[in-house]
Amino acid sequence: MYALLRISDPLERWAWRNGQLGITAELTVPGRQSGRPRSVLAGLMRVGGHSYVGHPNGRSQWTRNLRAARRIVVRLPFGGGVLRAATRLERGAERSAVIEAAGRQQPWPANWLYAAARAHIEAVGDYYRLDPVGESGGEEG
């Protein structure tokens, strides 16, 4: 599946730049070993006035980088990049609310997949709250 995603990346980025991928944002975080900027397209969920990102299958390369850097640049299709502090969510009400919101906010078929895999995502998903730099300090919670 990930090989298919790599092949389809240019088409996905074109659709994203044209505002066609729902809640998708471009996330850029420095590599935890190289320090070089690494970008990925991922869902930017909004719950209760906060923004969140994460990976439903647990830690991925970009979430590992985010956990190490505690900072991320978020760019929407029609805007510039904004630096945010990232706080990793532990199991609890806030994290569960983000996972539930991801299922509602994602476009089809991702919303259906989130609903079908909710127990798996609750068990292994890796999610972060994004705050303006200086508000949360980006500390892990």
Side-chain angles (χ1 to χ4, degrees), residues 65-88:
N65 290 341
L66 181 55
R67 186 173 187 175
R70 299 184 185 174
R71 300 284 188 271
I72 190 168
V73 174
V74 178
R75 188 165 68 94
L76 299 174
F78 304 110
V82 178
L83 181 65
R84 293 288 185 237
T87 303
R88 186 169 183 266

Side-chain angles (χ1 to χ4, degrees), residues 53-104:
V53 295
H55 197 286
N57 285 324
R59 294 185 182 144
S60 64
Q61 292 302 323
W62 74 265
T63 62
R64 286 182 179 117
N65 290 341
L66 181 55
R67 186 173 187 175
R70 299 184 185 174
R71 300 284 188 271
I72 190 168
V73 174
V74 178
R75 188 165 68 94
L76 299 174
F78 304 110
V82 178
L83 181 65
R84 293 288 185 237
T87 303
R88 186 169 183 266
L89 301 179
E90 298 298 330
R91 288 186 182 183
E94 182 179 19
R95 183 174 170 274
S96 291
V98 171
I99 292 169
E100 194 273 329
R104 282 193 331 273

